[in-house]
Amino acid sequence: MSDIKTHYRNCNICEAMCGLEIKYQDKHILSIKGDPEDPFSKGYNCPKATALEDFYNDEDRLKTPIRRTANGWEDISWDQAFTEIAEKLKGIQKEHGRNALAVYLGNPNAHNLGNALFLKPFMKSLGTINRFSSASTDQMPHHVAANFMFGAGMLIPVPDIDRTDFMLIIGGNPVVSNGSMMTAPNVIGRMKAIQKRGGKIVVVDPRRTRTAKIADQHLFIRPEKDALLLLAMIHCVFTTNSVNLRHLADRVDGLDALENIANDYSPESVAKHVGIPASDIRTLTNDMTTADSAVCYSRMGASTQTFGGLCQWLTNVLNIITGNFDRAGGAMFPQPAFDLLRNHKKGHKSSFGQYKSRVRKLPFFNGEFPVATLAEEIFTPGEGQIKSLITVAGNPVLSSPSGHKLAEAFSGLDYMVAIDIYLNETTKHANIILPATTGLENSHFDIFFNSFSVRNTVKYSKPLFEPADYQRTDWQILKELAARMTDTDLDEYTPEMILDMELQKGPYGKQGMSLAKLIDNPHGIDIGPLMPCIEARIKTEQGSVNLVPQLYINDLPRLQNVIIHPARDKKYPFDLIGRRLVKSHNTWTQNSERLIKGKNPCTLEVHPDDAKVLGISNGQSVMVSSMVGEVKIEVVITDDIQRGVVSMPQGWGHNQQGTQMSVAAKQPGVSINDLTDASRVDTLTGNAALNGTPVAINVA
Ligand SMILES: Nc1nc2c(c(=O)[nH]1)N[C@H]1C(S)=C(S)[C@@H](COP(=O)(O)OP(=O)(O)OC[C@H]3O[C@@H](n4cnc5c(=O)[nH]c(N)nc54)[C@H](O)[C@@H]3O)O[C@H]1N2
Ligand SMILES: Nc1nc2c(c(=O)[nH]1)N[C@H]1C(S)=C(S)[C@@H](COP(=O)(O)OP(=O)(O)OC[C@H]3O[C@@H](n4cnc5c(=O)[nH]c(N)nc54)[C@H](O)[C@@H]3O)O[C@H]1N2
Ligand code: SF4
Ligand SMILES: [Mo]
């Protein structure tokens, strides 16, 4: 046995970028704890970090390629796998056109340095426009708003949680999720600090979440009515003469148009629909406009819903007109050391709506189509039909709306490849699975989450354990496939080479930022709090903020229609919403014994009054059905959920035949996405409307 050693790295499971201190001896991990010397997370970590050990040791994890045959899966060599894949995919593209091949990119791509850098050339080598990703079950409305208001889809303002005096959280549960589009390790600590300095936190959510319980005030809202609430708040900002653009007075276009729009949405006119009394909406607005600094942060609940586009636009608007934009304590732009917008020219035209999806005419944006349309693009015959698919670190069968329909679609494909670490609900449909190294075997640098971070910091992590010779990293797989698809030689670039170049060319390059410097500082380097930087960062042609982009004006009648004619099928009287759990991350961490042990967490929360009417009791199993599917699930009765709304976790349903996640199968749960309906989207952005799915509940 050799000496006990210590390794420092960032956890790459979620967006919080917690610094970890890992004690190990040879290939054995002795402990995983928060790194007290990490300048950003200062010793914080959540329970999921310790499971990095489990993923490293997981016997179910695939390490070499496997091929599906009539008699089950067989091992094949990397060379055999690449040769077969290139031949099959080229053949399909030759016969049916380049777009007959589709790609689905999942969430872990965003947490992986190599993928962040090599997916672009990989996509180019395939030459298809049919890219789909988890972004359209998540944050597409944020990108669309950023694109049209600030000139770049990646220029997303984040709440300056460490300096704000008032934080309004709409449809986010950062105490459990650890924050999203807001990288802020130890959110609880940061929220408590707001309160300690005399500030206030208000949560707007159909569920009394853990975040709501810590907040000073919680307002229950009817699902999918947030755009109305935001419009009414904006209305109040105008009627109380509280518009205050501060230093942005000459930089904001469209204030008059906004006032005209907001005119129609008095708190009294929306209160009934939103489920929040008009007086509360006025008080909420007053709290925000009178605080020394304030920020409205709206996330998944206000993004993965029918009006996600409007919600994210209006959130930015509210921050801007209350003088809380590009200012300490408000919504601010980070300035990351690896700047994804380094080469983004001002006035660069976006790809929004450049193409429309073939079947449902949903918009193409940020280089992709909404995943809600993937199944029909596979099922519907005709020119441009998708015949083959590559998934990269994604599990859309469990994560996308109407996931069970996607499973059916995948099983009918001519050919499918999965680059993944598990044989799971999605990858079991592949002809070949190419397994990548993961977690502790990889080097790490957060390109994306530094771009959404509440503080400018920078850190590089070396791999803890060198992978075995027979393993491949994701980026090596992507590069090899790209080379095979284009019959070109592999170039010598590694993620580290590109990272070093970007750091040196980036905003701190002149001060000596480089990969070598990061290697010398394994705990990470603090650059400092976010700084006002709109002049340098904004990418619109004129350098001003477009407060009222036309596409949002065009979308308002849809919102009005919902008010005037609330389309409600009486057969499905409840609104289903999702929830996240402290000890699971999306669909893939459930193969860790320590994360899934204990009581079944995959339960349906029902309000006591609803339970009484339904005649159901705690712990009883019920059938939940929607327009597209049905699941059987155990009930938990709680007044933490609003009447008429029910909640179940996302990411579960590991009960399918032919998968190989033996730990997850012990506590499988059911998939919420067997109920969510792919036909329900925010038609403006194409994002899936996962929240607010109409469902019925019947005794099982
Ligand atoms: N109803 C409902 N549905 C939701 C949500 C919701 O709130 N409600 N949330 C949505 C959101 S926000 C998201 S981001 C999506 C996530 O949707 P997906 O990204 O499709 O789902 P994940 O569970 O993240 O899938 C990760 C996949 O990558 C594999 N994997 C893990 N690590 C690695 C790695 O290092 N390399 C490779 N190659 N593969 C790896 C896993 O085995 C798994 O197959 O789900 C969405 N779906
Ligand atoms: N532990 C854990 N952490 C995670 C993940 C995980 O799976 N587990 N996933 C990661 C990922 S990929 C992401 S994107 C982030 C997401 O991070 P968050 O955005 O914080 O996601 P959720 O916890 O799903 O919070 C969404 C909230 O919206 C509420 N909601 C639902 N419908 C509505 C509505 O119509 N209006 C309003 N106002 N609220 C609504 C829900 O009750 C819920 O509290 O979390 C990340 N972190
Ligand atoms: S909060 Fe996220 S980044 Fe931090 S330890 Fe937990 S999973 Fe890892
Ligand atoms: Mo996500």
Side-chain angles (χ1 to χ4, degrees), residues 140-151:
M140 205 48 104
H142 294 254
H143 296 303
V144 173
N147 180 63
F148 283 97
M149 300 180 78
F150 316 125

Side-chain angles (χ1 to χ4, degrees), residues 626-654:
S626 72
M627 289 284 281
V628 300
E630 187 173 58
V631 302
K632 187 175 176 182
I633 187 168
E634 188 185 319
V635 165
V636 166
I637 298 175
T638 168
D639 64 5
D640 284 343
I641 191 89
Q642 197 181 34
R643 271 183 209 88
V645 181
V646 292
S647 139
M648 67 185 275
Q650 58 97 22
W652 296 77
H654 295 286

Side-chain angles (χ1 to χ4, degrees), residues 328-339:
M332 301 185 81
F333 295 128
Q335 177 56 80
F338 185 136
D339 187 357

Side-chain angles (χ1 to χ4, degrees), residues 487-700:
D487 298 311
T488 49
D489 290 334
L490 283 172
D491 62 46
E492 81 280 20
Y493 284 106
T494 63
E496 274 69 14
M497 287 163 77
I498 302 173
L499 173 62
D500 189 35
M501 188 194 77
E502 286 293 338
L503 290 172
Q504 295 197 40
K505 287 195 174 168
Y508 312 107
K510 289 211 172 79
Q511 289 106 281
M513 187 60 73
S514 68
L515 182 57
K517 183 166 176 177
L518 297 189
I519 291 172
D520 283 346
N521 290 276
H523 302 289
I525 300 172
D526 185 36
I527 298 173
L530 305 186
M531 302 291 282
C533 59
I534 193 155
E535 202 167 328
R537 296 289 277 159
I538 197 154
K539 298 291 181 189
T540 53
E541 188 140 29
Q542 314 299 338
S544 51
V545 173
N546 188 359
L547 204 57
V548 191
Q550 185 63 38
L551 82 167
Y552 296 112
I553 301 180
N554 299 348
D555 202 35
L556 284 167
R558 193 167 64 94
L559 184 69
Q560 296 275 2
N561 261 342
V562 168
I563 307 172
I564 303 160
H565 312 285
R568 184 91 227 181
D569 186 338
K570 289 207 172 71
K571 237 175 105 190
Y572 302 105
F574 293 94
D575 289 332
L576 173 68
I577 61 171
R579 67 175 188 270
R580 285 181 152 71
L581 306 175
V582 172
K583 289 196 189 170
S584 62
H585 186 84
N586 297 342
T587 77
W588 69 270
T589 55
Q590 286 90 336
N591 220 40
S592 157
E593 192 87 51
R594 83 180 88 197
L595 291 185
I596 66 150
K597 69 175 185 232
K599 272 198 323 209
N600 168 25
C602 190
T603 55
L604 185 78
E605 291 188 349
V606 181
H607 189 273
D609 294 352
D610 292 330
K612 208 166 162 191
V613 173
L614 291 164
I616 52 175
S617 50
N618 230 353
Q620 186 174 345
S621 285
V622 292
M623 298 306 297
V624 184
S625 49
S626 72
M627 289 284 281
V628 300
E630 187 173 58
V631 302
K632 187 175 176 182
I633 187 168
E634 188 185 319
V635 165
V636 166
I637 298 175
T638 168
D639 64 5
D640 284 343
I641 191 89
Q642 197 181 34
R643 271 183 209 88
V645 181
V646 292
S647 139
M648 67 185 275
Q650 58 97 22
W652 296 77
H654 295 286
N655 51 357
Q656 299 191 10
Q657 276 192 343
T659 59
Q660 186 190 310
M661 290 177 77
S662 49
V663 178
K666 290 186 205 166
Q667 183 86 271
V670 289
S671 176
I672 186 173
N673 288 320
D674 287 350
L675 296 170
T676 56
D677 184 345
S679 71
R680 294 184 73 248
V681 293
D682 170 30
T683 45
L684 180 67
T685 63
N687 204 88
L690 300 168
N691 288 307
T693 303
V695 294
I697 298 168
N698 291 294
V699 175

